[in-house]
Amino acid sequence: MVKIIPFAAVRPTKDKVGLVVSRSYEDYPVDELNTTLSYNPFSFLHIVNPGYKFHHDISGERRFSLVKNRYLEFIEESVFIKDPNPAFYIYKIKTRKGDFCGIFAGASIADYQQNKIKKHEATLQKREKLFKDYLKTVGFNAEPVLLTYPDTEEIDIIINDVTAGVPEYEFATTDKASHYLWKVDDQKVINGIQAAFKKLDCLYIADGHHRSASSNLLSKELQKENPKHTGEESYNYFMSYLIPESNLKIYEFNRMVKDLNGLTKEEFLIQLDTHFRIENRGADLYKPSTIHHFGMYLDGEFYSLYLRKNYPFTDSLSQLDTQILFVTILKPILGIKDLRNDSRIEYGYGKYNTIKMKDLIDKGDFKIGFSLFPVEVSQMKEIADEGLKMPPKTTYIEPKLKSGLTIYEF
């Protein structure tokens, strides 16, 4: 049984919503970031980058306090309003890559702790604590955790009924996406949504492992500080965006390595032969078309690598292509032992990433590159069900949600 709750969101006024919402701060190139901050006073980026007001870089606890101040200013200036009553929010995005539709809700920390909200990525304790401290200082969360659930007809019917009506928001953004949001504050509909989710055994984190882990840390800390803790306080939940499995889009990350770990090209290819059948594709652009097939670019030529059929699988993780690449090539041959911190390896994603990978290698920035077939939702679920963790940069999942559309206050 899964528990979700409605919440009274703080959100932009209708006339400013298209100006307020932003991509994640890290997604902006410096020039675009500075232009947005210079010419759009309503952008949510002003809240998360409070030092811009003072023409000064600010970090740590000092920055957290200023983030809270900028947020309060947006409320004082009526850029943000707070809904009077708890609600669910159905949000639809139409993009060039497809349409996405799901529900903003509060997800239960208790469900997270009891593994009813399942994880497939390892998190870094340092990042967990940093974001926990940030949340505690600012008192709100503006970036939801992306959760997925099995396609459910009962939930689909409710969403279709609600989205047949007039949306609360309808706006476009500069990435040529159209956005629609419906507020669901009718108690009968709220009860129907909650009842439908109670019938599910679990949810899966698609994106936002550090955000959910940090919310869990914060909840534990505030429970200890609150002698009248009941379990229903807002800090016992975290903002999430719930989307059916069929509506997720998963893309791959390519891997690029700066050298062959002291090996010649011929020595490297000989070592590859242990686990792979190798075919030279020449200058023809090659991308793998199924699992256990890999693309490789080296010295101006593409190769296809086919995993040998006698390769031993032990669990769902051992069948994952990113794990296979790590244990057969990156670690034993190229000497990459730490996928998060080794400066010799970098990752890329995107529709044209194989071409970008080729260009970077041809320029001499890297020596070799590997392309992979995207992970399927079923693989992600199997790994989470077995309590295992994927290697870093295994999945790039869409939709990527905007910041500042709905804000959850603690």
Side-chain angles (χ1 to χ4, degrees):
M1 185 174 73
V2 169
K3 182 177 182 179
I4 63 169
I5 62 164
F7 64 99
V10 175
R11 53 192 179 86
T13 57
K14 288 183 182 181
D15 61 326
K16 296 184 178 67
V17 61
L19 296 170
V20 171
V21 297
S22 70
R23 306 194 305 274
S24 176
Y25 175 77
E26 292 81 7
D27 285 348
Y28 285 85
V30 174
D31 289 349
E32 185 181 358
L33 177 65
N34 289 335
T35 298
T36 303
L37 290 170
S38 296
Y39 295 103
N40 180 4
F42 302 113
S43 174
F44 191 77
L45 293 171
H46 284 284
I47 294 176
V48 294
N49 188 35
Y52 180 82
K53 181 177 182 179
F54 304 102
H55 306 286
H56 185 71
D57 289 333
I58 302 171
S59 60
E61 290 290 340
R62 192 176 173 201
R63 173 177 170 265
F64 300 167
S65 297
L66 289 175
V67 167
K68 183 175 183 178
N69 292 344
R70 294 292 85 73
Y71 172 68
L72 294 175
E73 287 174 7
F74 268 50
I75 293 176
E76 292 165 3
E77 294 167 0
S78 298
V79 177
F80 284 144
I81 57 171
K82 182 169 183 176
D83 283 326
N85 300 308
F88 289 121
Y89 302 86
I90 296 178
Y91 174 49
K92 185 174 184 178
I93 322 165
K94 291 186 175 182
T95 75
R96 290 171 289 181
K97 296 180 181 178
D99 297 349
F100 305 93
C101 190
I103 303 171
F104 284 116
S108 167
I109 293 289
D111 284 353
Y112 178 90
Q113 294 171 347
Q114 296 165 17
N115 205 36
K116 292 180 184 177
I117 298 176
K118 298 194 175 187
K119 310 90 177 166
H120 67 262
E121 283 185 10
T123 53
L124 300 174
Q125 288 187 345
K126 185 177 180 180
R127 284 189 63 190
E128 286 182 25
K129 184 182 183 303
L130 180 68
F131 195 56
K132 181 268 295 180
D133 293 342
Y134 170 82
L135 291 175
K136 188 174 184 181
T137 300
V138 302
F140 68 86
N141 192 351
E143 294 188 358
V145 175
L146 184 64
L147 300 178
T148 190
Y149 61 88
D151 288 56
T152 304
E153 184 178 8
E154 187 176 352
I155 299 173
D156 290 343
I157 290 172
I158 295 173
I159 289 176
N160 289 337
D161 286 346
V162 171
T163 56
V166 177
E168 180 82 4
Y169 293 149
E170 182 175 353
F171 63 97
T173 45
T174 54
D175 55 2
K176 297 184 178 179
S178 298
H179 306 260
Y180 309 86
L181 184 133
W182 292 262
K183 183 172 72 170
V184 180
D185 56 2
D186 182 284
Q187 193 59 51
K188 184 177 179 180
V189 182
I190 289 174
N191 292 341
I193 292 173
Q194 289 182 304
F197 276 93
K198 281 183 180 179
K199 296 176 183 178
L200 301 179
D201 293 328
C202 62
L203 302 169
Y204 293 84
I205 298 177
D207 193 17
H209 284 78
H210 280 94
R211 292 193 293 277
S212 53
S214 301
S215 296
N216 178 45
L217 282 181
L218 178 63
S219 178
K220 289 179 178 179
E221 188 170 302
L222 293 178
Q223 285 178 26
K224 291 179 181 178
E225 294 176 4
N226 182 5
K228 297 182 179 181
H229 170 76
T230 66
E232 291 306 314
E233 294 86 357
S234 58
Y235 57 74
N236 294 292
Y237 301 87
F238 59 90
M239 185 168 66
S240 61
Y241 181 66
L242 299 130
I243 190 169
E245 292 172 6
S246 64
N247 206 193
L248 282 181
K249 290 191 181 297
I250 303 181
Y251 301 90
E252 74 282 3
F253 276 93
N254 291 346
R255 276 91 166 109
M256 297 170 288
V257 181
K258 293 185 177 180
D259 58 68
L260 294 182
N261 198 28
L263 299 172
T264 66
K265 176 182 175 181
E266 291 72 22
E267 290 170 337
F268 174 74
L269 292 173
I270 289 171
Q271 292 202 37
L272 281 191
D273 192 70
T274 301
H275 294 297
F276 298 94
R277 179 165 57 86
I278 307 166
E279 292 185 15
N280 189 320
R281 301 277 179 162
D284 294 337
L285 186 71
Y286 178 79
K287 291 184 66 175
S289 57
T290 187
I291 61 170
H292 305 338
H293 291 185
F294 302 81
M296 183 175 76
Y297 186 68
L298 174 64
D299 277 355
E301 294 178 312
F302 283 95
Y303 295 81
S304 55
L305 309 179
Y306 299 94
L307 186 68
R308 295 196 181 279
K309 293 183 178 179
N310 63 353
Y311 183 82
F313 296 127
T314 56
D315 54 27
S316 58
L317 179 60
S318 69
Q319 299 179 53
L320 194 69
D321 283 350
T322 50
Q323 180 71 3
I324 292 169
L325 187 70
F326 175 62
V327 300
T328 61
I329 301 176
L330 297 178
K331 183 178 180 180
I333 302 177
L334 296 179
I336 306 288
K337 298 178 181 179
D338 186 344
L339 293 173
R340 293 185 186 276
N341 300 309
D342 196 314
S343 61
R344 294 169 56 226
I345 187 169
E346 291 190 17
Y347 306 88
Y349 65 89
K351 182 178 179 181
Y352 302 108
N353 188 56
T354 301
I355 296 173
K356 293 176 184 176
M357 180 180 75
K358 175 184 181 300
D359 290 343
L360 289 171
I361 293 171
D362 288 343
K363 283 170 54 182
D365 293 347
F366 298 91
K367 179 64 177 177
I368 189 169
F370 301 93
S371 55
L372 298 90
F373 190 72
V375 171
E376 297 177 350
V377 173
S378 59
Q379 292 178 283
M380 182 182 78
K381 291 174 62 179
E382 286 173 7
I383 287 173
D385 288 341
E386 293 179 26
L388 302 171
K389 301 293 183 285
M390 292 181 176
K393 302 295 184 184
T394 291
T395 58
Y396 181 85
I397 297 179
E398 291 190 341
K400 294 295 182 188
L401 301 171
K402 303 291 186 183
S403 298
L405 181 60
T406 60
I407 297 173
Y408 183 85
E409 288 190 329
F410 302 109

